[in-house]
Amino acid sequence: MSAPLLEARGIVKSYGQVEALRGADFTLLPGEVVALIGDNGAGKSTLAKILSGAERPDSGEIAVDGEPVVFGSVEEARSAGIETVYQDLALCPDLSPAGNFFLGRELLKPGLLGRLGVLDNAAMRGRTKEACERLGVQLKSQAAPVSTLSGGQRQGVAVARAVTWAKRVVFMDEPTAALGVLQTQRVLDLIRGVRDSGVAVVLISHNMQDVKAVSDRVEVLRLGRRVARFDTARVSMEDLVGAMTGAIEHENGR
Amino acid sequence: MDRVRLRDRQVVWIAAVLALLLLTFSVLRPGSFATSFNLLNLVSDAAILLLLATGMTYVIITAGIDLSVGGVLVFSAVAATKIMETTGSLLLGAASAVLTGLAWGLLNGVLVAKGRIPALIVTLGTLGMSLGGALLLTGGVDLRAPGDLNLGLGLARWLGVPQIAWICAAITAVLALALARTRFGRHTYAIGSNAEAARRGGVAVNRHLIRVYGLAGLLAGLAGYLSLAKYGITGVSAHSTDNLQAIAAVVIGGTSLFGGVGTVVGTVIGVFIPVVLQNGFQILGVRPFWQQVVVGAVLVAAVYVDQWQRGRRDQ
């Protein structure tokens, strides 16, 4: 077994009186899809925020490739190759796919024009098209604003953006929550595509079918702690639900 | 793709309306409307408003609003006059107008971005403060501009066109390009479209908003100086509806009050439509008050079209 790509130990995080995480652990190996599941309030989103730099833990350790790290901001997590697809996608509806893709990291023209802040739209469009094609996201037009795309295409743009910038890990928070059956299928294909391109995926989901369909492993949080880990291929739906609800506890039960 | 065409179509539509107006007035009064003298008049009437409207375009694209431009214009003109009276230097006067405008704009920006006060309230407040401040400084009596400014820059022409118009046109062109082609412009659209997404994408949203309001203030300050040159007086009571004129021009030009959408080109057309109407009505002998009525109707129609497009999009 290779060293974990991303590992968290004993993460504690409180919001006022509420203890969201009480010593949570998490392990992600290179090139796998891990589903992070749990009931409402189990701390999934909090853990994801901490691991992607959006929040800071009160205590606990995070390590990337076995090296301890402290993420003070989303930017710091990004520079470690970690990106997040937010549940609301964080797209600007009036910008083109390329505009969204390069939002905050715009490419500038070479030379004097670039120093004046002039955008290199052709290059950005080209790279966006490339990235979308690689992940099987089909866009009718590169110029149309994102607001004209279907929900699935928007999801595709957001995922493709995260994957393009993520060198190591992509967190996806409920990526299929708002989607229909066909669109969900496309996103799951996308997740497999991401894994095949060598980037690990953390899938946060309520949907056990999605979890079973796409993940390699499952980690279960309950009341702010990791209570179980499973190989997806060898776990039943009953076990997953049992671990989420507390009927079964087997942290070391692999 | 539909919506892009619709948006482009809106600018094309509004350009067609302008062309139609020009054509109608020229046909009805070929002797007076289409003369170069009258066209020059149109341009110079529009030039100073164009500066205000261009700044307003940036602000409205961020989903903000700036009601203070008229007050900032007057305050900057008063400040410039005072400086010129004291120092005798026109250059220092221009600099002080621009810096005064910038300072008001930055104040707006800081209050909107950091203070989290709605832009409508912030700029309504600074409108009152700047107009009131100008009245305090002048005692309510208009100050006269130095003669060599009024008779110099105020009358100067290049190729037969007033220098003031050249200056405004050049600045507008640069800002049109900056909005459409630069990172600054892209971030302006992004913030108006989805400020939270822009922030998560790494755009320094607060800093950018402060800069945008600062730009609008700076342009209002410059407009104050140019207006001083053109009319020779500070005009303390002549600018209370500048903000509405500028907003009307921006919105008629296809910029959305909801942010994220708009162009400076549209705004240029939006500035000229009321000006052409007013001028045409005067020449035709129609009572000029009709201009206000017609512009009001066009404004409502423009916002209706915008709402309708958003409704289609959000279905």
Side-chain angles (χ1 to χ4, degrees):
Chain A
M1 190 161 131
S2 45
L5 169 52
L6 180 64
E7 184 159 45
R9 281 213 203 97
I11 303 289
V12 175
K13 176 75 183 176
S14 306
Y15 298 98
Q17 296 292 322
V18 183
E19 274 194 307
L21 294 174
R22 320 172 184 202
D25 302 324
F26 181 77
T27 313
L28 178 68
L29 302 178
E32 67 173 356
V33 179
V34 168
L36 181 59
I37 66 170
D39 207 351
N40 285 338
K44 308 181 293 284
S45 290
T46 307
L47 184 57
K49 280 179 189 159
I50 287 170
L51 293 176
S52 60
E55 300 264 4
R56 305 183 80 157
D58 299 334
S59 66
E61 289 162 17
I62 303 173
V64 174
D65 296 330
E67 298 287 319
V69 292
V70 176
F71 295 141
S73 66
V74 177
E75 279 72 27
E76 285 177 41
R78 275 187 190 156
S79 61
I82 299 172
E83 292 280 332
T84 306
V85 181
Y86 297 93
Q87 197 171 350
D88 64 5
L89 303 185
L91 295 173
C92 289
D94 300 298
L95 297 187
S96 67
N100 274 290
F101 230 83
F102 285 89
L103 182 58
R105 326 179 204 221
E106 291 81 1
L107 299 182
L108 300 179
K109 292 210 161 152
L112 179 66
L113 285 175
R115 249 177 284 150
L116 291 172
V118 177
L119 299 168
D120 193 344
N121 283 316
M124 288 193 277
R125 267 199 296 275
R127 283 184 55 183
T128 304
K129 188 156 176 265
E130 217 171 85
C132 285
E133 276 170 3
R134 193 154 31 105
L135 290 164
V137 179
Q138 284 164 2
L139 301 174
K140 272 176 292 178
S141 154
Q142 280 289 322
V146 164
S147 62
T148 61
L149 303 181
S150 70
Q153 287 173 323
R154 285 182 214 186
Q155 190 87 46
V157 171
V159 172
R161 170 174 69 178
V163 171
T164 302
W165 300 115
K167 295 287 162 279
R168 318 293 306 272
V169 184
V170 178
F171 281 86
M172 297 195 198
D173 195 352
E174 301 278 0
T176 60
L179 299 183
V181 176
L182 269 179
Q183 292 169 337
T184 298
Q185 209 51 54
R186 291 208 57 84
V187 170
L188 297 183
D189 288 344
L190 210 55
I191 292 173
R192 293 190 191 99
V194 172
R195 178 192 52 199
D196 295 345
S197 73
V199 174
V201 178
V202 181
L203 172 69
I204 299 158
S205 184
H206 268 105
N207 187 323
M208 291 306 121
Q209 263 129 26
D210 291 358
V211 168
K212 288 281 283 179
V214 79
S215 69
D216 300 311
R217 288 195 308 111
V218 183
E219 303 220 343
V220 186
L221 283 182
R222 201 168 81 78
L223 302 174
R225 281 202 193 87
R226 179 169 69 191
V227 293
R229 301 200 263 179
F230 301 104
D231 281 324
T232 310
R234 278 182 272 152
V235 68
S236 67
M237 206 71 101
E238 289 72 31
D239 285 346
L240 289 178
V241 174
M244 276 166 68
T245 56
I248 311 170
E249 293 233 4
H250 53 146
E251 159 69 308
N252 301 312
R254 307 188 55 180
Chain B
M1 196 67 202
D2 277 342
R3 203 160 146 274
V4 172
R5 288 207 201 103
L6 271 174
R7 284 292 171 194
D8 288 347
R9 212 185 283 163
Q10 189 165 345
V11 171
V12 172
W13 262 113
I14 213 78
V17 169
L18 179 63
L20 193 70
L21 285 175
L22 287 170
L23 192 70
T24 312
F25 288 132
S26 315
V27 169
L28 289 175
R29 285 288 184 284
S32 40
F33 187 81
T35 61
S36 61
F37 175 76
N38 191 53
L39 290 179
L40 276 182
N41 241 353
L42 284 183
V43 169
S44 97
D45 280 352
I48 292 173
L49 179 59
L50 189 56
L51 283 187
L52 299 181
T54 299
M56 190 73 78
T57 306
Y58 274 80
V59 171
I60 291 182
I61 287 175
T62 68
I65 196 89
D66 188 352
L67 298 179
S68 72
V69 287
V72 171
L73 184 158
V74 169
F75 191 97
S76 305
V78 169
T81 314
K82 295 263 180 201
I83 295 285
M84 288 186 284
E85 273 171 7
T86 326
T87 63
S89 158
L90 297 188
L91 198 63
L92 277 180
S96 60
V98 168
L99 289 177
T100 308
L102 177 65
W104 279 108
L106 292 176
L107 175 65
N108 282 336
V110 168
L111 290 172
V112 169
K114 305 259 188 195
R116 309 242 161 253
I117 309 168
L120 190 77
I121 300 303
V122 167
T123 58
L124 189 61
T126 50
L127 170 67
M129 289 191 268
S130 53
L131 270 184
L135 290 170
L136 283 172
L137 286 174
T138 58
V141 183
D142 265 327
L143 305 179
R144 298 205 70 81
D148 43 349
L149 175 61
N150 189 211
L151 302 174
L153 178 59
L155 295 179
R157 289 174 176 238
W158 284 332
L159 306 174
V161 177
Q163 245 175 43
I164 291 176
W166 282 112
I167 294 171
C168 296
I171 291 172
T172 302
V174 168
L175 290 173
L177 285 173
L179 184 62
R181 298 252 175 255
T182 69
R183 181 161 53 189
F184 188 83
R186 177 65 53 84
H187 288 178
T188 305
Y189 285 107
I191 289 171
S193 194
N194 184 346
E196 179 58 21
R199 196 186 60 76
R200 290 197 208 146
V203 177
V205 172
N206 284 350
R207 198 178 64 194
H208 193 82
L209 280 175
I210 292 170
R211 285 184 185 170
V212 167
Y213 281 91
L215 173 68
L218 183 150
L219 291 172
L222 181 62
Y225 184 75
L226 296 179
S227 142
L228 201 56
K230 185 171 179 209
Y231 300 107
I233 51 168
T234 49
V236 284
S237 55
H239 294 278
S240 51
T241 64
D242 280 13
N243 50 9
L244 300 182
Q245 289 181 45
I247 292 166
V250 171
V251 172
I252 289 171
T255 296
S256 169
L257 285 171
F258 300 96
V261 172
T263 59
V264 171
V265 176
T267 297
V268 172
I269 299 168
V271 164
F272 273 99
I273 283 182
V275 173
V276 167
L277 273 177
Q278 185 164 27
N279 217 286
F281 284 174
Q282 269 170 12
I283 288 174
L284 289 183
V286 178
R287 291 202 295 168
F289 310 120
W290 276 108
Q291 183 250 3
Q292 291 181 28
V293 177
V294 175
V295 169
V298 172
L299 178 63
V300 172
V303 174
Y304 177 77
V305 170
D306 180 43
Q307 298 262 34
W308 177 70
Q309 286 176 350
R310 297 230 154 209
R312 277 171 47 110
R313 180 189 94 185
D314 295 337
Q315 265 170 20

